Amino acid sequence: DVHDKSIIEKYMDDKLVWTAEFSDWIDNHVVFNDNVIVYGTSPAHSSTQRRYAWMAFIDSDGKILWRRMLDNGFKDEYIGAIVPDDDNIVVFSRGDLNYLCFNEFDLNGDRMNFHKTEVGNTGIWNAAKLGDDYIVQLGNYMRDENALIVKVSSDGRITDSFSYESEDSYYYITDMIEYNNLIYLSAYSVPALEDEDKDAGSRRDIATILNYIFDNKLYDISDEELTKLVRENFTAVLLICDPSSGTPREFFSVKGSLGGMLAMSES
């Protein structure tokens, strides 16, 4: 139960190009041009031990150019999302399970700006650039909040918020990007529950399936039947939204699918 090291490797054509090692946990990474920004948390083996967030900049040759700890005064902090740009790296971290933190660094890893906002017990799930500002997805599985987005100014202050829902469906946002000054949201929807079933908690997305199985005592349901039920329950959704109001301008859906990651290419 003792953490030794974390390793990130780059491969091209199934051949190892470089390896970088860290003494702390790696939570995720972001590809930035030919470089990689790795981030994670320090191991904490007891409730009294401080857990801090860190990030490191790795160049195209696998050399660790710098490593920084986010020393924002919290007992517990982790990085939820990183949005790199040509001149800066914006890091959205969560402090003491209560604060949304805006951290801005230059490409040398020197801090340029910091701002924290108390948002309550909500996790940081996604972030994207929006002109000079940013959009950040917040959520809480226990409260079943899955489609809340806040706008954050270039100095780290929350300026607005949007939430996506309808009377007959629940929405779960999976990714988001800005393109042509519009917000593109990848998501999926499931049918809304009847009032008596709304206490389904974190299993609300499959509650209609579970209710159908148990109400009809289908305990020996086959894989084929279950797959069909699950597929029919989900609908992939792409929302193209106005950046000022968050209102969807266009709406696309694919029945029997999930909204995945969004990406842009030169074409």
Side-chain angles (χ1 to χ4, degrees):
D1 294 328
V2 177
H3 180 266
D4 182 29
K5 61 184 175 182
S6 298
I7 302 171
I8 183 168
E9 298 176 338
K10 178 181 178 178
Y11 287 82
M12 292 184 65
D13 298 325
D14 295 329
K15 294 182 179 180
L16 180 63
V17 178
W18 53 254
T19 297
E21 296 185 359
F22 298 91
S23 59
D24 293 328
W25 287 324
I26 295 175
D27 292 331
N28 212 331
H29 72 280
V30 175
V31 176
F32 174 44
N33 296 326
D34 292 330
N35 309 303
V36 177
I37 302 172
V38 178
Y39 60 92
T41 52
S42 63
H45 303 294
S46 70
S47 59
T48 59
Q49 187 176 357
R50 181 187 176 201
R51 186 178 73 152
Y52 62 84
W54 63 273
M55 66 175 182
F57 195 94
I58 305 174
D59 69 10
S60 57
D61 297 321
K63 181 180 179 182
I64 302 173
L65 299 184
W66 51 260
R67 184 181 183 277
R68 297 289 184 270
M69 182 180 76
L70 272 61
D71 192 5
N72 294 323
F74 299 109
K75 179 183 176 182
D76 189 308
E77 185 174 10
Y78 73 85
I79 294 173
I82 291 182
V83 184
D85 204 352
D86 292 335
D87 302 316
N88 65 356
I89 300 170
V90 169
V91 180
F92 292 98
S93 61
R94 185 185 184 197
D96 288 342
L97 304 181
N98 201 39
Y99 289 90
L100 171 65
C101 300
F102 174 92
N103 309 264
E104 185 179 12
F105 297 85
D106 64 20
L107 298 185
N108 294 318
D110 297 323
R111 184 188 294 275
M112 300 167 59
N113 193 10
F114 172 77
H115 185 80
K116 67 178 182 179
T117 304
E118 188 171 358
V119 294
N121 188 15
T122 54
I124 303 168
W125 292 354
N126 272 306
K129 186 93 168 146
L130 181 64
D132 293 330
D133 301 326
Y134 301 87
I135 48 176
V136 182
Q137 180 191 4
L138 304 179
N140 184 304
Y141 289 113
M142 299 308 297
R143 295 197 303 266
D144 216 33
E145 295 176 352
N146 303 281
L148 173 62
I149 290 178
V150 295
K151 288 178 67 176
V152 179
S153 65
S154 58
D155 61 356
R157 302 176 188 278
I158 295 178
T159 59
D160 207 346
S161 64
F162 322 122
S163 185
Y164 296 88
E165 59 186 359
S166 68
E167 293 183 357
D168 58 355
S169 298
Y170 300 127
Y171 287 88
Y172 298 79
I173 296 173
T174 53
D175 197 16
M176 56 190 186
I177 58 174
E178 181 270 339
Y179 176 64
N180 278 349
N181 296 317
L182 295 171
I183 302 172
Y184 282 67
L185 299 177
S186 175
Y188 63 88
S189 67
V190 298
L193 299 172
E194 301 293 335
D195 289 338
E196 62 269 19
D197 296 325
K198 287 187 176 179
D199 60 350
S202 60
R203 306 311 303 268
R204 191 165 73 166
D205 58 340
I206 59 170
T208 54
I209 301 172
L210 296 176
N211 291 342
Y212 175 78
I213 290 174
F214 286 109
D215 290 347
N216 293 279
K217 299 181 179 180
L218 302 176
Y219 306 127
D220 295 324
I221 187 169
S222 67
D223 290 348
E224 290 77 11
E225 291 176 289
L226 183 57
T227 298
K228 185 176 184 233
L229 283 177
V230 173
R231 182 177 290 126
E232 291 175 348
N233 189 63
F234 290 90
T235 300
V237 174
L238 178 67
L239 301 170
I240 305 177
C241 305
D242 182 272
S244 300
S245 65
T247 304
R249 292 185 178 181
E250 294 184 80
F251 181 100
F252 302 93
S253 64
V254 180
K255 187 71 176 173
S257 185
L258 292 172
M261 303 303 292
L262 296 171
M264 292 185 291
S265 67
E266 293 181 357
S267 60

